[in-house]
Amino acid sequence: NIKDDPRRRKPDINKARKLLGFSPKISLEEGLKKTIEWIKSHNEVSADDMEKIKKIFRAYDVRGVYGNDLTGRIAELVGKGFGTFVGEGKNIVIGRDGRLSSQSLRDSLAEGIKSVGCNVIDIGLVTTPMFYFTIAHFKFDGGIMISASHNPKEWNGFKIAKEKGLLLAEGVGLDKVREIILQNSFNNPKILGNEEFKNVVSDYYDF
Protein backbone atom coordinates (compact mmCIF):
# COMPACT_ATOMS: atom_id res chain seq x y z
CA ASN A 1 0.00 0.00 0.00
CA ILE A 2 1.67 3.22 -1.19
CA LYS A 3 -0.25 5.33 1.32
CA ASP A 4 1.23 3.36 4.24
CA ASP A 5 4.76 3.29 2.82
CA PRO A 6 6.98 4.58 5.69
CA ARG A 7 9.21 6.32 3.15
CA ARG A 8 6.28 8.68 2.35
CA ARG A 9 5.53 9.61 5.95
CA LYS A 10 6.35 13.09 7.23
CA PRO A 11 9.57 12.91 9.31
CA ASP A 12 9.25 13.44 13.06
CA ILE A 13 11.66 16.37 13.55
CA ASN A 14 11.44 16.33 17.36
CA LYS A 15 12.23 12.61 17.41
CA ALA A 16 15.23 13.22 15.15
CA ARG A 17 16.47 15.99 17.46
CA LYS A 18 16.12 13.67 20.46
CA LEU A 19 18.08 10.89 18.75
CA LEU A 20 20.87 13.35 17.98
CA GLY A 21 20.89 14.57 21.57
CA PHE A 22 19.65 18.09 20.75
CA SER A 23 17.04 20.05 22.66
CA PRO A 24 13.68 20.65 20.89
CA LYS A 25 14.43 24.37 21.34
CA ILE A 26 17.37 24.10 18.93
CA SER A 27 16.45 24.71 15.29
CA LEU A 28 16.94 21.96 12.74
CA GLU A 29 19.54 24.11 10.98
CA GLU A 30 21.53 24.60 14.19
CA GLY A 31 21.24 20.90 14.98
CA LEU A 32 22.56 20.02 11.53
CA LYS A 33 25.47 22.43 11.99
CA LYS A 34 26.35 20.86 15.36
CA THR A 35 26.18 17.39 13.81
CA ILE A 36 28.57 18.38 11.01
CA GLU A 37 30.95 19.95 13.55
CA TRP A 38 30.88 16.75 15.66
CA ILE A 39 31.61 14.54 12.62
CA LYS A 40 34.48 16.83 11.57
CA SER A 41 36.04 16.89 15.04
CA HIS A 42 35.62 13.12 15.40
CA ASN A 43 37.41 12.43 12.11
CA GLU A 44 40.28 14.84 12.68
CA VAL A 45 43.41 13.76 14.55
CA SER A 46 43.97 16.30 17.31
CA ALA A 47 47.34 17.50 18.61
CA ASP A 48 46.75 15.47 21.79
CA ASP A 49 46.00 12.38 19.67
CA MET A 50 49.24 12.90 17.76
CA GLU A 51 51.35 13.11 20.92
CA LYS A 52 49.84 9.88 22.22
CA ILE A 53 50.38 8.10 18.90
CA LYS A 54 54.04 9.19 18.80
CA LYS A 55 54.52 7.93 22.36
CA ILE A 56 52.89 4.49 22.09
CA PHE A 57 54.29 3.34 18.73
CA ARG A 58 57.45 1.36 19.56
CA ALA A 59 59.93 -0.61 17.45
CA TYR A 60 57.89 -3.83 17.31
CA ASP A 61 54.45 -3.03 18.73
CA VAL A 62 52.13 -0.42 20.20
CA ARG A 63 52.06 -0.10 24.01
CA GLY A 64 50.78 2.33 26.63
CA VAL A 65 48.97 2.77 29.93
CA TYR A 66 45.25 2.19 29.41
CA GLY A 67 43.18 5.32 29.96
CA ASN A 68 46.26 7.51 29.76
CA ASP A 69 48.34 6.98 26.62
CA LEU A 70 46.13 4.24 25.23
CA THR A 71 42.44 5.18 25.11
CA GLY A 72 39.42 4.10 23.12
CA ARG A 73 39.94 7.05 20.79
CA ILE A 74 43.57 6.05 20.15
CA ALA A 75 42.55 2.43 19.56
CA GLU A 76 40.01 3.61 16.99
CA LEU A 77 42.71 5.62 15.20
CA VAL A 78 45.03 2.60 15.16
CA GLY A 79 42.21 0.57 13.61
CA LYS A 80 41.62 3.25 10.98
CA GLY A 81 45.34 3.53 10.25
CA PHE A 82 45.94 -0.20 9.90
CA GLY A 83 42.76 -0.69 7.85
CA THR A 84 43.91 2.03 5.47
CA PHE A 85 47.37 0.44 5.29
CA VAL A 86 45.93 -3.01 4.45
CA GLY A 87 43.36 -1.71 1.98
CA GLU A 88 39.62 -1.35 1.57
CA GLY A 89 37.60 -4.58 1.54
CA LYS A 90 40.28 -6.65 3.28
CA ASN A 91 39.62 -9.02 6.23
CA ILE A 92 41.35 -8.12 9.50
CA VAL A 93 41.54 -10.43 12.52
CA ILE A 94 41.20 -9.12 16.09
CA GLY A 95 42.26 -11.28 19.05
CA ARG A 96 42.61 -10.26 22.69
CA ASP A 97 44.10 -11.40 25.98
CA GLY A 98 42.42 -11.47 29.39
CA ARG A 99 43.26 -7.96 30.58
CA LEU A 100 40.25 -6.03 31.82
CA SER A 101 40.79 -3.27 29.26
CA SER A 102 41.09 -5.58 26.25
CA GLN A 103 37.37 -5.86 25.47
CA SER A 104 36.88 -2.10 25.42
CA LEU A 105 39.92 -1.64 23.19
CA ARG A 106 38.61 -4.39 20.90
CA ASP A 107 35.36 -2.52 20.41
CA SER A 108 37.15 0.73 19.51
CA LEU A 109 39.59 -1.04 17.18
CA ALA A 110 36.73 -2.76 15.37
CA GLU A 111 34.90 0.53 14.83
CA GLY A 112 38.03 2.10 13.38
CA ILE A 113 38.70 -0.84 11.06
CA LYS A 114 35.12 -0.95 9.76
CA SER A 115 34.99 2.81 9.25
CA VAL A 116 37.67 2.60 6.52
CA GLY A 117 35.91 -0.22 4.67
CA CYS A 118 37.63 -3.32 6.08
CA ASN A 119 35.92 -6.36 7.61
CA VAL A 120 36.58 -7.52 11.17
CA ILE A 121 37.08 -11.18 12.06
CA ASP A 122 36.77 -11.34 15.85
CA ILE A 123 38.38 -14.49 17.29
CA GLY A 124 37.79 -13.54 20.92
CA LEU A 125 40.01 -14.45 23.86
CA VAL A 126 43.04 -16.28 22.44
CA THR A 127 46.78 -16.75 22.84
CA THR A 128 49.18 -14.85 20.58
CA PRO A 129 50.22 -18.03 18.67
CA MET A 130 46.53 -18.71 17.96
CA PHE A 131 46.22 -15.19 16.58
CA TYR A 132 49.14 -15.65 14.15
CA PHE A 133 47.84 -19.10 13.20
CA THR A 134 44.42 -17.68 12.31
CA ILE A 135 45.82 -15.11 9.88
CA ALA A 136 48.10 -17.60 8.13
CA HIS A 137 45.85 -20.68 8.14
CA PHE A 138 42.70 -18.94 6.90
CA LYS A 139 44.62 -16.57 4.61
CA PHE A 140 43.28 -13.37 6.13
CA ASP A 141 44.86 -10.04 5.21
CA GLY A 142 46.24 -9.10 8.61
CA GLY A 143 45.28 -8.61 12.21
CA ILE A 144 45.74 -6.92 15.57
CA MET A 145 46.33 -8.82 18.81
CA ILE A 146 45.40 -6.87 21.93
CA SER A 147 48.03 -7.69 24.55
CA ALA A 148 50.79 -6.02 26.55
CA SER A 149 52.72 -9.26 27.15
CA HIS A 150 54.83 -9.01 30.32
CA ASN A 151 53.89 -5.40 31.17
CA PRO A 152 51.93 -4.57 34.37
CA LYS A 153 48.13 -4.85 34.39
CA GLU A 154 47.65 -1.10 33.88
CA TRP A 155 49.23 -1.43 30.44
CA ASN A 156 47.86 -2.77 27.20
CA GLY A 157 48.89 -2.73 23.58
CA PHE A 158 48.69 -4.10 20.06
CA LYS A 159 50.77 -6.57 18.08
CA ILE A 160 50.03 -5.85 14.42
CA ALA A 161 50.55 -8.39 11.65
CA LYS A 162 50.02 -8.43 7.90
CA GLU A 163 49.17 -11.41 5.67
CA LYS A 164 50.68 -14.78 6.61
CA GLY A 165 50.90 -13.55 10.22
CA LEU A 166 54.08 -11.56 9.58
CA LEU A 167 54.65 -9.02 12.35
CA LEU A 168 54.87 -5.33 11.49
CA ALA A 169 57.81 -3.40 12.98
CA GLU A 170 59.63 -0.12 12.52
CA GLY A 171 60.81 -0.08 8.92
CA VAL A 172 58.52 -3.01 8.07
CA GLY A 173 55.11 -1.33 7.90
CA LEU A 174 54.53 -0.16 11.48
CA ASP A 175 55.98 3.27 10.76
CA LYS A 176 53.70 3.57 7.72
CA VAL A 177 50.62 2.89 9.88
CA ARG A 178 51.79 5.60 12.30
CA GLU A 179 52.28 8.10 9.47
CA ILE A 180 48.81 7.40 8.03
CA ILE A 181 47.36 8.32 11.44
CA LEU A 182 49.53 11.42 11.97
CA GLN A 183 48.71 12.68 8.46
CA ASN A 184 45.00 11.89 8.87
CA SER A 185 45.20 10.02 5.55
CA PHE A 186 42.43 7.49 6.14
CA ASN A 187 40.39 5.70 3.50
CA ASN A 188 36.97 7.20 2.88
CA PRO A 189 35.00 4.16 1.65
CA LYS A 190 31.59 4.15 0.03
CA ILE A 191 30.67 1.06 2.04
CA LEU A 192 31.62 0.40 5.67
CA GLY A 193 33.08 -2.95 6.66
CA ASN A 194 31.19 -5.65 8.54
CA GLU A 195 32.05 -7.90 11.47
CA GLU A 196 31.81 -11.59 12.31
CA PHE A 197 32.95 -13.89 15.10
CA LYS A 198 35.07 -16.95 14.31
CA ASN A 199 35.91 -19.68 16.82
CA VAL A 200 39.39 -20.94 15.92
CA VAL A 201 40.23 -22.98 19.01
CA SER A 202 39.41 -26.42 17.54
CA ASP A 203 41.16 -25.57 14.25
CA TYR A 204 44.29 -24.56 16.15
CA TYR A 205 44.46 -27.70 18.26
CA ASP A 206 43.64 -29.97 15.30
CA PHE A 207 46.36 -28.44 13.15
Side-chain angles (χ1 to χ4, degrees):
N1 191 329
I2 295 177
K3 185 178 181 180
D4 295 328
D5 189 334
R7 292 171 295 182
R8 298 176 64 88
R9 295 174 189 162
K10 185 178 180 180
D12 189 334
I13 300 301
N14 286 332
K15 185 177 180 180
R17 288 190 182 119
K18 185 177 179 181
L19 288 172
L20 290 170
F22 301 140
S23 166
K25 296 180 181 179
I26 295 177
S27 69
L28 186 61
E29 290 77 14
E30 187 175 352
L32 180 60
K33 181 180 178 181
K34 286 181 177 292
T35 301
I36 293 172
E37 288 174 352
W38 181 89
I39 292 172
K40 184 178 179 181
S41 66
H42 191 67
N43 286 335
E44 289 180 347
V45 181
S46 69
D48 183 57
D49 293 336
M50 289 184 183
E51 288 305 311
K52 289 177 179 176
I53 290 295
K54 291 175 183 177
K55 185 176 181 180
I56 66 175
F57 269 71
R58 313 297 179 96
Y60 297 100
D61 61 8
V62 177
R63 278 178 286 129
V65 176
Y66 178 70
N68 186 358
D69 308 318
L70 185 56
T71 63
R73 168 61 176 165
I74 296 302
E76 181 184 359
L77 290 175
V78 172
K80 289 164 70 77
F82 182 59
T84 299
F85 172 79
V86 173
E88 187 176 340
K90 299 299 179 66
N91 298 309
I92 297 177
V93 174
I94 297 181
R96 59 182 170 84
D97 68 9
R99 291 173 189 255
L100 296 178
S101 58
S102 292
Q103 179 64 55
S104 176
L105 290 173
R106 187 225 76 89
D107 295 344
S108 298
L109 267 177
E111 288 306 309
I113 290 169
K114 291 184 292 184
S115 74
V116 294
C118 293
N119 304 313
V120 170
I121 312 297
D122 179 11
I123 59 173
L125 188 64
V126 294
T127 64
T128 301
M130 291 170 69
F131 162 74
Y132 292 128
F133 163 82
T134 301
I135 298 173
H137 184 70
F138 294 102
K139 296 181 172 58
F140 290 127
D141 303 297
I144 300 177
M145 177 68 191
I146 305 168
S147 173
S149 302
H150 60 279
N151 290 106
K153 62 180 181 180
E154 295 83 9
W155 288 66
N156 214 327
F158 309 129
K159 296 180 187 298
I160 305 178
K162 56 182 181 178
E163 74 277 0
K164 299 180 181 179
L166 300 175
L167 187 66
L168 294 192
E170 187 73 21
V172 194
L174 193 60
D175 50 331
K176 292 183 180 179
V177 175
R178 181 185 62 221
E179 289 308 307
I180 288 170
I181 300 170
L182 294 178
Q183 294 174 12
N184 201 33
S185 301
F186 305 119
N187 283 343
N188 186 22
K190 293 182 179 180
I191 301 175
L192 300 180
N194 54 40
E195 182 175 344
E196 66 175 88
F197 177 79
K198 185 174 185 63
N199 189 330
V200 301
V201 176
S202 60
D203 294 284
Y204 179 75
Y205 285 109
D206 290 343
F207 182 70

